[in-house]
Amino acid sequence: MIKLCCNGCGSDLQVGDDVRFLTCNYCHSKLEVVRDVTATHTRVLEKLERATDRIAGNLKVIELQNDLERVDREWEARRQSLLVRGQNGGLYEPSAIGSVIGSLAAILGGIVLALFLSNNTVGYFPLFGLLFSCIGFMNLVSGLSKSSAFRDGRSRHRQQREQLIGEIERERRR
Ligand SMILES: [Zn+2]
């Protein structure tokens, strides 16, 4: 047995006399035992695989975190584009029930107006009431499609988020 020093990390190693190659128990470097005329020493053959694995892992984590930020940013932009303006001027997330309530008033109001105008006037005036109803109905359709786009977008965003966070945690645990 001879005493040697790991060229990778400096740990003391005990090596059999005829050993030429070994792996350091501490830093896992692959070492070659070099027997010179003056002294026997070790030479690192392979760079520390674990360290490079770790660096690759860190890069992967950074990449995933960038993906997460991008996904959040994209959803926020989409969210802003889908917000609806309420009657007091504020912006709200579109909801199916909200658009039904909002549009129903216009649809019913238009019908009542049409009936009222057809009883009290002649000519095309009752059509204004129906026009009002039509606008209400179109609002309802666009409101419902907006709210479903909003719901889909939000759940897709959550899914992507959870998946990325899961991947980041897995990568960190390695
Ligand atoms: Zn070592």
Side-chain angles (χ1 to χ4, degrees), residues 5-11 13 23-29 31 48:
C5 193
C6 168
N7 200 30
C9 70
S11 303
L13 303 168
T23 305
C24 170
N25 282 335
Y26 302 94
C27 69
H28 305 281
S29 297
L31 303 168
L48 318 168

mmCIF file with all atom_site columns, all heavy atoms in Angstrom, residues 5-11 13 23-29 31 48, ligand 1:
data_model
loop_
_atom_site.group_PDB
_atom_site.id
_atom_site.type_symbol
_atom_site.label_atom_id
_atom_site.label_alt_id
_atom_site.label_comp_id
_atom_site.label_asym_id
_atom_site.label_entity_id
_atom_site.label_seq_id
_atom_site.pdbx_PDB_ins_code
_atom_site.Cartn_x
_atom_site.Cartn_y
_atom_site.Cartn_z
_atom_site.occupancy
_atom_site.B_iso_or_equiv
_atom_site.pdbx_formal_charge
_atom_site.auth_seq_id
_atom_site.auth_comp_id
_atom_site.auth_asym_id
_atom_site.auth_atom_id
_atom_site.pdbx_PDB_model_num
ATOM   1   N  N   . CYS A 1 5  ? -2.109  11.413 -2.544  1.00 0.00 ? 5  CYS A N   1
ATOM   2   C  CA  . CYS A 1 5  ? -2.980  12.555 -2.360  1.00 0.00 ? 5  CYS A CA  1
ATOM   3   C  C   . CYS A 1 5  ? -3.811  12.700 -3.635  1.00 0.00 ? 5  CYS A C   1
ATOM   4   O  O   . CYS A 1 5  ? -3.268  12.633 -4.737  1.00 0.00 ? 5  CYS A O   1
ATOM   5   C  CB  . CYS A 1 5  ? -2.079  13.774 -2.149  1.00 0.00 ? 5  CYS A CB  1
ATOM   6   S  SG  . CYS A 1 5  ? -2.949  15.186 -1.544  1.00 0.00 ? 5  CYS A SG  1
ATOM   7   N  N   . CYS A 1 6  ? -5.134  12.869 -3.489  1.00 0.00 ? 6  CYS A N   1
ATOM   8   C  CA  . CYS A 1 6  ? -5.987  13.045 -4.674  1.00 0.00 ? 6  CYS A CA  1
ATOM   9   C  C   . CYS A 1 6  ? -5.650  14.378 -5.338  1.00 0.00 ? 6  CYS A C   1
ATOM   10  O  O   . CYS A 1 6  ? -5.657  15.419 -4.697  1.00 0.00 ? 6  CYS A O   1
ATOM   11  C  CB  . CYS A 1 6  ? -7.454  13.006 -4.286  1.00 0.00 ? 6  CYS A CB  1
ATOM   12  S  SG  . CYS A 1 6  ? -8.558  13.553 -5.621  1.00 0.00 ? 6  CYS A SG  1
ATOM   13  N  N   . ASN A 1 7  ? -5.378  14.310 -6.601  1.00 0.00 ? 7  ASN A N   1
ATOM   14  C  CA  . ASN A 1 7  ? -5.021  15.516 -7.350  1.00 0.00 ? 7  ASN A CA  1
ATOM   15  C  C   . ASN A 1 7  ? -6.244  16.419 -7.593  1.00 0.00 ? 7  ASN A C   1
ATOM   16  O  O   . ASN A 1 7  ? -6.115  17.574 -7.928  1.00 0.00 ? 7  ASN A O   1
ATOM   17  C  CB  . ASN A 1 7  ? -4.380  15.098 -8.673  1.00 0.00 ? 7  ASN A CB  1
ATOM   18  C  CG  . ASN A 1 7  ? -3.559  16.206 -9.274  1.00 0.00 ? 7  ASN A CG  1
ATOM   19  O  OD1 . ASN A 1 7  ? -3.014  17.037 -8.542  1.00 0.00 ? 7  ASN A OD1 1
ATOM   20  N  ND2 . ASN A 1 7  ? -3.459  16.224 -10.577 1.00 0.00 ? 7  ASN A ND2 1
ATOM   21  N  N   . GLY A 1 8  ? -7.414  15.813 -7.391  1.00 0.00 ? 8  GLY A N   1
ATOM   22  C  CA  . GLY A 1 8  ? -8.634  16.583 -7.614  1.00 0.00 ? 8  GLY A CA  1
ATOM   23  C  C   . GLY A 1 8  ? -9.063  17.372 -6.401  1.00 0.00 ? 8  GLY A C   1
ATOM   24  O  O   . GLY A 1 8  ? -9.444  18.532 -6.501  1.00 0.00 ? 8  GLY A O   1
ATOM   25  N  N   . CYS A 1 9  ? -9.018  16.721 -5.208  1.00 0.00 ? 9  CYS A N   1
ATOM   26  C  CA  . CYS A 1 9  ? -9.542  17.400 -4.021  1.00 0.00 ? 9  CYS A CA  1
ATOM   27  C  C   . CYS A 1 9  ? -8.562  17.444 -2.860  1.00 0.00 ? 9  CYS A C   1
ATOM   28  O  O   . CYS A 1 9  ? -8.836  18.067 -1.843  1.00 0.00 ? 9  CYS A O   1
ATOM   29  C  CB  . CYS A 1 9  ? -10.844 16.737 -3.578  1.00 0.00 ? 9  CYS A CB  1
ATOM   30  S  SG  . CYS A 1 9  ? -10.615 15.091 -2.882  1.00 0.00 ? 9  CYS A SG  1
ATOM   31  N  N   . GLY A 1 10 ? -7.433  16.750 -2.981  1.00 0.00 ? 10 GLY A N   1
ATOM   32  C  CA  . GLY A 1 10 ? -6.426  16.828 -1.931  1.00 0.00 ? 10 GLY A CA  1
ATOM   33  C  C   . GLY A 1 10 ? -6.589  15.822 -0.808  1.00 0.00 ? 10 GLY A C   1
ATOM   34  O  O   . GLY A 1 10 ? -5.828  15.828 0.155   1.00 0.00 ? 10 GLY A O   1
ATOM   35  N  N   . SER A 1 11 ? -7.603  14.940 -0.909  1.00 0.00 ? 11 SER A N   1
ATOM   36  C  CA  . SER A 1 11 ? -7.810  13.946 0.145   1.00 0.00 ? 11 SER A CA  1
ATOM   37  C  C   . SER A 1 11 ? -6.689  12.903 0.129   1.00 0.00 ? 11 SER A C   1
ATOM   38  O  O   . SER A 1 11 ? -6.098  12.626 -0.911  1.00 0.00 ? 11 SER A O   1
ATOM   39  C  CB  . SER A 1 11 ? -9.138  13.224 -0.074  1.00 0.00 ? 11 SER A CB  1
ATOM   40  O  OG  . SER A 1 11 ? -10.184 14.137 -0.104  1.00 0.00 ? 11 SER A OG  1
ATOM   41  N  N   . LEU A 1 13 ? -5.278  9.250  0.121   1.00 0.00 ? 13 LEU A N   1
ATOM   42  C  CA  . LEU A 1 13 ? -5.760  7.989  -0.437  1.00 0.00 ? 13 LEU A CA  1
ATOM   43  C  C   . LEU A 1 13 ? -4.764  6.887  -0.107  1.00 0.00 ? 13 LEU A C   1
ATOM   44  O  O   . LEU A 1 13 ? -3.558  7.116  -0.062  1.00 0.00 ? 13 LEU A O   1
ATOM   45  C  CB  . LEU A 1 13 ? -5.895  8.102  -1.963  1.00 0.00 ? 13 LEU A CB  1
ATOM   46  C  CG  . LEU A 1 13 ? -6.793  9.207  -2.533  1.00 0.00 ? 13 LEU A CG  1
ATOM   47  C  CD1 . LEU A 1 13 ? -6.564  9.336  -4.022  1.00 0.00 ? 13 LEU A CD1 1
ATOM   48  C  CD2 . LEU A 1 13 ? -8.250  8.911  -2.225  1.00 0.00 ? 13 LEU A CD2 1
ATOM   49  N  N   . THR A 1 23 ? -10.756 5.602  -8.464  1.00 0.00 ? 23 THR A N   1
ATOM   50  C  CA  . THR A 1 23 ? -11.695 6.718  -8.318  1.00 0.00 ? 23 THR A CA  1
ATOM   51  C  C   . THR A 1 23 ? -11.608 7.230  -6.895  1.00 0.00 ? 23 THR A C   1
ATOM   52  O  O   . THR A 1 23 ? -11.646 6.446  -5.954  1.00 0.00 ? 23 THR A O   1
ATOM   53  C  CB  . THR A 1 23 ? -13.134 6.240  -8.604  1.00 0.00 ? 23 THR A CB  1
ATOM   54  O  OG1 . THR A 1 23 ? -13.169 5.642  -9.895  1.00 0.00 ? 23 THR A OG1 1
ATOM   55  C  CG2 . THR A 1 23 ? -14.115 7.403  -8.556  1.00 0.00 ? 23 THR A CG2 1
ATOM   56  N  N   . CYS A 1 24 ? -11.462 8.523  -6.748  1.00 0.00 ? 24 CYS A N   1
ATOM   57  C  CA  . CYS A 1 24 ? -11.384 9.119  -5.408  1.00 0.00 ? 24 CYS A CA  1
ATOM   58  C  C   . CYS A 1 24 ? -12.721 8.947  -4.692  1.00 0.00 ? 24 CYS A C   1
ATOM   59  O  O   . CYS A 1 24 ? -13.775 9.214  -5.261  1.00 0.00 ? 24 CYS A O   1
ATOM   60  C  CB  . CYS A 1 24 ? -11.030 10.606 -5.513  1.00 0.00 ? 24 CYS A CB  1
ATOM   61  S  SG  . CYS A 1 24 ? -11.182 11.474 -3.935  1.00 0.00 ? 24 CYS A SG  1
ATOM   62  N  N   . ASN A 1 25 ? -12.640 8.485  -3.437  1.00 0.00 ? 25 ASN A N   1
ATOM   63  C  CA  . ASN A 1 25 ? -13.869 8.266  -2.661  1.00 0.00 ? 25 ASN A CA  1
ATOM   64  C  C   . ASN A 1 25 ? -14.551 9.567  -2.275  1.00 0.00 ? 25 ASN A C   1
ATOM   65  O  O   . ASN A 1 25 ? -15.728 9.576  -1.960  1.00 0.00 ? 25 ASN A O   1
ATOM   66  C  CB  . ASN A 1 25 ? -13.554 7.505  -1.374  1.00 0.00 ? 25 ASN A CB  1
ATOM   67  C  CG  . ASN A 1 25 ? -13.363 6.024  -1.650  1.00 0.00 ? 25 ASN A CG  1
ATOM   68  O  OD1 . ASN A 1 25 ? -13.883 5.509  -2.633  1.00 0.00 ? 25 ASN A OD1 1
ATOM   69  N  ND2 . ASN A 1 25 ? -12.602 5.366  -0.790  1.00 0.00 ? 25 ASN A ND2 1
ATOM   70  N  N   . TYR A 1 26 ? -13.792 10.653 -2.286  1.00 0.00 ? 26 TYR A N   1
ATOM   71  C  CA  . TYR A 1 26 ? -14.337 11.920 -1.791  1.00 0.00 ? 26 TYR A CA  1
ATOM   72  C  C   . TYR A 1 26 ? -14.939 12.754 -2.914  1.00 0.00 ? 26 TYR A C   1
ATOM   73  O  O   . TYR A 1 26 ? -16.060 13.213 -2.819  1.00 0.00 ? 26 TYR A O   1
ATOM   74  C  CB  . TYR A 1 26 ? -13.251 12.695 -1.040  1.00 0.00 ? 26 TYR A CB  1
ATOM   75  C  CG  . TYR A 1 26 ? -12.696 11.897 0.109   1.00 0.00 ? 26 TYR A CG  1
ATOM   76  C  CD1 . TYR A 1 26 ? -11.550 11.122 -0.040  1.00 0.00 ? 26 TYR A CD1 1
ATOM   77  C  CD2 . TYR A 1 26 ? -13.371 11.878 1.339   1.00 0.00 ? 26 TYR A CD2 1
ATOM   78  C  CE1 . TYR A 1 26 ? -11.066 10.361 1.005   1.00 0.00 ? 26 TYR A CE1 1
ATOM   79  C  CE2 . TYR A 1 26 ? -12.891 11.115 2.391   1.00 0.00 ? 26 TYR A CE2 1
ATOM   80  C  CZ  . TYR A 1 26 ? -11.736 10.364 2.222   1.00 0.00 ? 26 TYR A CZ  1
ATOM   81  O  OH  . TYR A 1 26 ? -11.268 9.612  3.259   1.00 0.00 ? 26 TYR A OH  1
ATOM   82  N  N   . CYS A 1 27 ? -14.159 12.963 -3.992  1.00 0.00 ? 27 CYS A N   1
ATOM   83  C  CA  . CYS A 1 27 ? -14.670 13.844 -5.044  1.00 0.00 ? 27 CYS A CA  1
ATOM   84  C  C   . CYS A 1 27 ? -15.052 13.079 -6.303  1.00 0.00 ? 27 CYS A C   1
ATOM   85  O  O   . CYS A 1 27 ? -15.533 13.675 -7.265  1.00 0.00 ? 27 CYS A O   1
ATOM   86  C  CB  . CYS A 1 27 ? -13.653 14.933 -5.367  1.00 0.00 ? 27 CYS A CB  1
ATOM   87  S  SG  . CYS A 1 27 ? -12.177 14.299 -6.189  1.00 0.00 ? 27 CYS A SG  1
ATOM   88  N  N   . HIS A 1 28 ? -14.848 11.758 -6.287  1.00 0.00 ? 28 HIS A N   1
ATOM   89  C  CA  . HIS A 1 28 ? -15.252 10.898 -7.402  1.00 0.00 ? 28 HIS A CA  1
ATOM   90  C  C   . HIS A 1 28 ? -14.516 11.195 -8.699  1.00 0.00 ? 28 HIS A C   1
ATOM   91  O  O   . HIS A 1 28 ? -15.012 10.871 -9.768  1.00 0.00 ? 28 HIS A O   1
ATOM   92  C  CB  . HIS A 1 28 ? -16.774 10.965 -7.616  1.00 0.00 ? 28 HIS A CB  1
ATOM   93  C  CG  . HIS A 1 28 ? -17.530 10.638 -6.358  1.00 0.00 ? 28 HIS A CG  1
ATOM   94  N  ND1 . HIS A 1 28 ? -17.706 9.354  -5.930  1.00 0.00 ? 28 HIS A ND1 1
ATOM   95  C  CD2 . HIS A 1 28 ? -18.105 11.440 -5.434  1.00 0.00 ? 28 HIS A CD2 1
ATOM   96  C  CE1 . HIS A 1 28 ? -18.380 9.367  -4.782  1.00 0.00 ? 28 HIS A CE1 1
ATOM   97  N  NE2 . HIS A 1 28 ? -18.628 10.626 -4.459  1.00 0.00 ? 28 HIS A NE2 1
ATOM   98  N  N   . SER A 1 29 ? -13.355 11.816 -8.574  1.00 0.00 ? 29 SER A N   1
ATOM   99  C  CA  . SER A 1 29 ? -12.530 12.003 -9.771  1.00 0.00 ? 29 SER A CA  1
ATOM   100 C  C   . SER A 1 29 ? -11.927 10.659 -10.163 1.00 0.00 ? 29 SER A C   1
ATOM   101 O  O   . SER A 1 29 ? -11.577 9.853  -9.306  1.00 0.00 ? 29 SER A O   1
ATOM   102 C  CB  . SER A 1 29 ? -11.379 12.971 -9.492  1.00 0.00 ? 29 SER A CB  1
ATOM   103 O  OG  . SER A 1 29 ? -11.858 14.235 -9.175  1.00 0.00 ? 29 SER A OG  1
ATOM   104 N  N   . LEU A 1 31 ? -8.791  8.866  -11.305 1.00 0.00 ? 31 LEU A N   1
ATOM   105 C  CA  . LEU A 1 31 ? -7.378  9.230  -11.152 1.00 0.00 ? 31 LEU A CA  1
ATOM   106 C  C   . LEU A 1 31 ? -6.467  8.180  -11.769 1.00 0.00 ? 31 LEU A C   1
ATOM   107 O  O   . LEU A 1 31 ? -6.790  6.988  -11.793 1.00 0.00 ? 31 LEU A O   1
ATOM   108 C  CB  . LEU A 1 31 ? -7.031  9.366  -9.653  1.00 0.00 ? 31 LEU A CB  1
ATOM   109 C  CG  . LEU A 1 31 ? -7.856  10.366 -8.851  1.00 0.00 ? 31 LEU A CG  1
ATOM   110 C  CD1 . LEU A 1 31 ? -7.603  10.164 -7.364  1.00 0.00 ? 31 LEU A CD1 1
ATOM   111 C  CD2 . LEU A 1 31 ? -7.543  11.787 -9.266  1.00 0.00 ? 31 LEU A CD2 1
ATOM   112 N  N   . LEU A 1 48 ? -14.646 16.300 -12.687 1.00 0.00 ? 48 LEU A N   1
ATOM   113 C  CA  . LEU A 1 48 ? -15.663 15.857 -11.744 1.00 0.00 ? 48 LEU A CA  1
ATOM   114 C  C   . LEU A 1 48 ? -17.037 15.792 -12.412 1.00 0.00 ? 48 LEU A C   1
ATOM   115 O  O   . LEU A 1 48 ? -17.636 16.818 -12.710 1.00 0.00 ? 48 LEU A O   1
ATOM   116 C  CB  . LEU A 1 48 ? -15.703 16.837 -10.572 1.00 0.00 ? 48 LEU A CB  1
ATOM   117 C  CG  . LEU A 1 48 ? -14.306 17.255 -10.104 1.00 0.00 ? 48 LEU A CG  1
ATOM   118 C  CD1 . LEU A 1 48 ? -14.399 18.432 -9.157  1.00 0.00 ? 48 LEU A CD1 1
ATOM   119 C  CD2 . LEU A 1 48 ? -13.574 16.109 -9.471  1.00 0.00 ? 48 LEU A CD2 1
HETATM 120 ZN ZN  . ZN  B 2 .  ? -10.566 13.565 -4.619  1.00 0.00 ? 1  ZN  B ZN  1
#
